[in-house]
Every structure is written in structure tokens, then in C-alpha cells.
Amino acid sequence: AVTEGPVAKIRGINIVGAQAFPERELLGLFVLRTPGWLTWYTQHDRYSRERLSADLETLRSFYLNRGYLDFSLESTQVQITPDRRDIYITVNIVEGETYSVSDVSLAGQLLLPREELEKLIQLKPGDVFSREKLAASTKAISERLGNEGYAFANANAIPNVDKAKRTVAFSIVVDPGRRVYVRRVDVAGNSKTRDEVIRREMRQLEGAYYDASKIQLSRRRIDRTNF
């Protein structure tokens, strides 16, 4: 018979170097935690390398969405006691300084009026830098070009950092890629109704240029038919 010993549990998590935000607030972002009244069910008090990696990325995003462009995770130590019952995690961070946005410009092949694409940019001069808003901006531009048939459109933000002034400017370079033509719409995995019934709900027509918004609309309409 195999007798399993007690499962090691996390007894302490410390974030060293946090000054701008209370350590308690930062630890509240983590999935991993010390034993509590719900952890017997969630098992979030049990160490997992994947969970820790996800928590550290959450921590990084928290800072990068609040202007801390220089934020870095210096080191992470995971220590287990000799009896293998208790685990202690120490995360060492360097917050760095906050940065504001000095300028956001568009470059590359825009294909659409500059004013229209500029409205999709969520970061404006004077705003505190946010990685989340920058990513949402480039995604919105790519999706807008997708609605014009450019299924592989890409928008990349190139930063220009001024460490002395603690500002960052971005040039969003637009690459539309080639325009895509829809040759055929296949309906797969459909056993309840004929293809024609589902095709009737399709707003993306064969023989037309690819349109991401029409595909999304078609998907929602088909979902509503309960087929």
C-alpha cells in the first residue's frame, strides 16, 4: 500500500519592492494564496508553477496598465520547508517610474481616412501609459481593416521612450496585408437542418471580399437559431 504524505501548502507570499501600491492589494490579484476558508475547494493554496507564472503576468499587467513602463520582475524564490509541508514564495520587483504618453501617430498603409483610424486609438497625449489601451487600439485598427477585406491586417506600435522626461511616443504602423476574397462557405458538423437554412443566416456571402464584422454577425445569428 502506498501512503501519501500531507500536501504542501503555501504559508506565505511576499512581494518585495512594492511601494506605489499596498502589498495586500497586489497579493489580491493572485490566484495563488495562503490557506483560507475556500481553499480546501479551490486548492489555490497548493503551489503550481503555471499558476505562479500566470499570477506574475497579472502583476506585470497591473503595473504596465498604470504607467510603469520600466516595471520588472527581478527574481522569484519558491522555498519549501524540510518537512515538505510549507511553501514560501518571495517575488522581488522593481517598479520604476510612471510614464505618460507624449504622442500617438499613424504610419504605413492606412487605406482608410486617417481621422477614422485615429478615433480607434484609446491613448491620447497626456494620458498615463496603459499597455491594455495600446493593445486595444492596435486590435481595433486591425479589425477595422478586416471589415474591408484585409483578413491579415496588422497594426504594430513602435515606442519612442524619453527617460529624462518620463514620456513615451508611439508610432502605430499599419500593414493591411493582402485583401482576401471568400470563395466558399462550408457548413460543418450540422446534423439538425439542411445547409441552406444555415446559409440563409450567413451575412458573409460567397464571392465577396472577407468581412470580419459580417462573419461575427452571422455567427451570432446562427447561435440564436439554436441549430
Side-chain angles (χ1 to χ4, degrees), residues 22-47:
E23 185 184 22
R24 183 186 182 88
E25 180 182 352
L26 299 177
L27 289 174
L29 303 170
F30 283 26
V31 169
L32 289 178
R33 58 193 62 245
T34 53
W37 66 281
L38 257 184
T39 51
W40 63 271
Y41 173 71
T42 64
Q43 297 189 351
H44 290 165
D45 57 357
R46 298 187 184 184
Y47 171 73

Side-chain angles (χ1 to χ4, degrees), residues 43-71:
Q43 297 189 351
H44 290 165
D45 57 357
R46 298 187 184 184
Y47 171 73
S48 154
R49 183 183 296 175
E50 292 76 16
R51 281 179 184 164
L52 179 58
S53 293
D55 283 343
L56 294 178
E57 182 52 36
T58 299
L59 182 64
R60 185 191 300 278
S61 294
F62 179 86
Y63 273 92
L64 287 174
N65 291 337
R66 287 160 179 78
Y68 290 85
L69 198 61
D70 291 334
F71 173 84

Side-chain angles (χ1 to χ4, degrees), residues 3-11 32-35 39-48 51 79-88:
T3 304
E4 290 190 5
V7 176
K9 293 187 177 181
I10 298 167
R11 298 295 172 185
L32 289 178
R33 58 193 62 245
T34 53
T39 51
W40 63 271
Y41 173 71
T42 64
Q43 297 189 351
H44 290 165
D45 57 357
R46 298 187 184 184
Y47 171 73
S48 154
R51 281 179 184 164
Q79 297 173 308
I80 188 166
T81 53
D83 60 11
R84 306 193 70 78
R85 286 173 179 256
D86 301 329
I87 290 175
Y88 294 89

Side-chain angles (χ1 to χ4, degrees), residues 2-155:
V2 176
T3 304
E4 290 190 5
V7 176
K9 293 187 177 181
I10 298 167
R11 298 295 172 185
I13 308 176
N14 293 307
I15 299 175
V16 179
Q19 296 175 333
F21 305 96
E23 185 184 22
R24 183 186 182 88
E25 180 182 352
L26 299 177
L27 289 174
L29 303 170
F30 283 26
V31 169
L32 289 178
R33 58 193 62 245
T34 53
W37 66 281
L38 257 184
T39 51
W40 63 271
Y41 173 71
T42 64
Q43 297 189 351
H44 290 165
D45 57 357
R46 298 187 184 184
Y47 171 73
S48 154
R49 183 183 296 175
E50 292 76 16
R51 281 179 184 164
L52 179 58
S53 293
D55 283 343
L56 294 178
E57 182 52 36
T58 299
L59 182 64
R60 185 191 300 278
S61 294
F62 179 86
Y63 273 92
L64 287 174
N65 291 337
R66 287 160 179 78
Y68 290 85
L69 198 61
D70 291 334
F71 173 84
S72 65
L73 290 160
E74 291 294 284
S75 63
T76 307
Q77 291 99 35
V78 179
Q79 297 173 308
I80 188 166
T81 53
D83 60 11
R84 306 193 70 78
R85 286 173 179 256
D86 301 329
I87 290 175
Y88 294 89
I89 300 171
T90 303
V91 180
N92 293 280
I93 67 173
V94 174
E95 293 179 330
E97 304 285 351
T98 55
Y99 283 75
S100 61
V101 177
S102 58
D103 184 52
V104 185
S105 60
L106 288 167
Q109 289 182 274
L110 305 188
L111 299 184
L112 291 168
R114 182 179 296 271
E115 298 75 25
E116 184 178 342
L117 295 181
E118 284 176 345
K119 289 177 182 175
L120 301 175
I121 300 173
Q122 296 184 20
L123 280 176
K124 309 296 181 192
D127 288 355
V128 172
F129 169 71
S130 166
R131 181 174 70 171
E132 186 177 44
K133 287 183 178 179
L134 182 64
S137 303
T138 55
K139 181 182 178 184
I141 291 171
S142 297
E143 288 178 348
R144 179 65 189 88
L145 287 165
N147 296 346
E148 298 296 321
Y150 297 92
F152 303 107
N154 205 2

